[in-house]
Amino acid sequence: MSQTTAASDLKATAGYSIEEGNAASRNAYNWAKKTFSTRVGKPGEPAQDLEGGFSNEIRFGNERLGIGSDGIGTKIEVAERVDRYDTLGHDLIAMVADDLVVAGFIPTNLSNIIDVNTLNYEVVDELMRGLHDAAQFSSIAVTGGEIAELGNRIGGYPGARMNFNWCSTAVGVLHPSLEKPLSGANVRAGQAVVALRSPSFRSNGYSLARRVLTKAFGEEWHKASYSGADADVMGATWGEVMLAPSLIFAPGVTAVLDAGLPLHAAAHITGGGVADNFKRVLKSGVGAELDNLFAPLPAMSQLAELGGISPADAYLYWNMGNGMLLVTDADQAEAVAAELTAKGYAAQVAGRIISEPTITLKVGAGELRYDI
């Protein structure tokens, strides 16, 4: 099967295309860049060296701030199905806070917008209570927001107390140990890669996951029993498994920087998986060989089997148990992993940077290679 045909088949299964999404994002960013000239030499001047990332730098004199926006996608439908909303705040903050911290910005403030069909006070209260808890964990102040009632412009799971979409923008300040943001410009062959384990799907790849689950168990898939090896942690149903909240990595990366340990680049593993996200910071013609990643969550392995999804594609649509990758000096990699472990994260040295422009994953399913 050709690569084009394989991509087309997976698009039909997932309902979207990573390649087309990346192309549309590049085009949108090219339009956005044309506006940068409006702030040259003025407060709020954007940086030019973080292209390809999910956040950007804005300058106010000598102060360097980061800004990024994101949402939690179709994971919202899982919450509507299960009728539980107090975990989604962790997903919302994780998506923007972790995008900021991989560029060296420590998240400080967040503003959010909830677009709803018809307002339900109790659901909004649950959402904001969860956002409060996630903000406390991340040392973030929620300093702005809006609730907009849009009627039939907003859809979702029929019968839910409220259908909605939830997005946010976060800002952060460059860590004082850094002279400039982490762009990947200083990544060199011989450096080491440290992985942080993700205990959930986070907020990515849900359109594909929902399609697989619907095909396997029908429209009420969220009620189907889950019997994976981690069912005692993830939950007894597929709905509970898919609702498991995102772990926010920003406090752990901040602790690494606070400890004075070297970081040359970092990648938040979101939609596009390990390879598509990691290559964004491999900008000097280098690649990576990752032979000690965390194993996929049992639920991810089961979904791939249920949907007939190849390992190469599964590692593009889901994080497969790895939520973030950090690039550090080889002789400091164990110290970085130990600092993260001390802060309650599961971390391990996962591989190294190589001189060839490819990303090779040596995982249980075999060797997967992705060109940069």
Side-chain angles (χ1 to χ4, degrees):
M1 179 181 292
S2 71
Q3 183 176 0
T4 302
T5 303
S8 177
D9 288 348
L10 190 57
K11 177 184 176 182
T13 301
Y16 63 97
S17 165
I18 289 175
E19 292 79 9
E20 290 181 17
N22 286 341
S25 294
R26 285 192 296 269
N27 181 57
Y29 183 68
N30 286 336
W31 280 109
K33 281 196 300 184
K34 296 178 187 296
T35 71
F36 287 7
S37 61
T38 64
R39 302 307 304 171
V40 171
K42 303 174 184 178
E45 179 178 1
Q48 301 280 351
D49 57 353
L50 288 176
E51 186 167 343
F54 296 115
S55 62
N56 207 347
E57 174 192 351
I58 48 178
R59 299 168 180 168
F60 293 84
N62 292 327
E63 193 71 56
R64 295 184 171 207
L65 304 181
I67 185 168
S69 301
D70 207 346
I72 52 177
T74 62
K75 188 170 185 175
I76 289 170
E77 186 188 305
V78 184
E80 292 174 349
R81 286 171 173 268
V82 177
D83 196 30
R84 180 181 176 183
Y85 302 94
D86 62 341
T87 64
L88 293 181
H90 287 265
D91 301 300
L92 188 69
I93 284 187
M95 293 303 102
V96 288
D98 289 347
D99 279 352
L100 285 171
V101 83
V102 293
F105 297 107
I106 309 309
T108 60
N109 299 80
L110 179 139
S111 182
N112 68 109
I113 295 177
I114 310 174
D115 292 328
V116 310
N117 59 348
T118 302
L119 183 65
N120 183 291
Y121 179 94
E122 288 76 18
V123 173
V124 173
D125 182 65
E126 291 180 43
L127 290 172
M128 294 307 297
R129 183 169 71 249
L131 186 65
H132 162 272
D133 293 346
Q136 294 283 14
F137 177 84
S138 309
S139 298
I140 288 174
V142 180
T143 48
E146 180 185 21
I147 301 171
E149 293 190 73
L150 302 181
N152 62 11
R153 296 293 298 173
I154 299 294
Y157 184 66
R161 285 186 285 163
M162 186 179 82
N163 296 138
F164 62 98
N165 188 44
W166 201 11
C167 298
S168 70
T169 294
V171 296
V173 61
L174 189 66
H175 192 275
S177 70
L178 300 174
E179 294 182 358
K180 56 184 179 180
L182 301 173
S183 67
N186 294 325
V187 175
R188 300 288 183 268
Q191 293 169 348
V193 181
V194 174
L196 285 84
R197 182 178 183 272
S198 171
S200 72
F201 282 79
R202 297 179 71 75
S203 276
N204 310 105
Y206 273 73
S207 293
L208 173 59
R210 289 186 300 108
R211 286 183 177 229
V212 170
L213 289 167
T214 300
K215 185 176 181 180
F217 301 112
E219 288 298 328
E220 297 293 294
W221 59 261
H222 59 286
K223 298 177 182 178
S225 297
Y226 174 70
S227 57
D230 54 351
D232 57 331
V233 176
M234 298 292 282
T237 67
W238 274 103
E240 292 173 328
V241 169
M242 299 308 297
L243 191 60
S246 301
L247 177 59
I248 304 167
F249 297 115
V253 180
T254 300
V256 170
L257 292 169
D258 287 345
L261 293 165
L263 281 185
H264 303 296
H268 182 194
I269 310 305
T270 56
V274 172
D276 192 67
N277 286 283
F278 199 29
K279 73 181 183 182
R280 295 173 184 271
V281 297
L282 301 180
K283 297 180 177 179
S284 303
V286 296
E289 183 177 275
L290 305 176
D291 57 6
N292 192 38
L293 289 167
F294 286 100
L297 304 182
M300 293 174 175
S301 297
Q302 283 195 28
L303 272 183
E305 184 176 352
L306 285 171
I309 299 166
S310 71
D313 287 331
Y315 272 87
L316 280 176
Y317 278 83
W318 301 317
N319 64 57
M320 302 303 277
N322 299 272
M324 190 168 284
L325 298 177
L326 310 179
V327 180
T328 186
D329 294 338
D331 61 355
Q332 294 294 314
E334 292 291 352
V336 168
E339 181 66 31
L340 291 162
T341 301
K343 298 300 180 183
Y345 296 88
Q348 64 191 31
V349 181
R352 67 186 190 280
I353 302 298
I354 60 175
S355 58
E356 294 78 19
T358 61
I359 295 176
T360 301
L361 313 182
K362 296 183 177 180
V363 296
E367 184 173 298
L368 311 175
R369 292 175 60 87
Y370 304 86
D371 294 330
I372 295 178

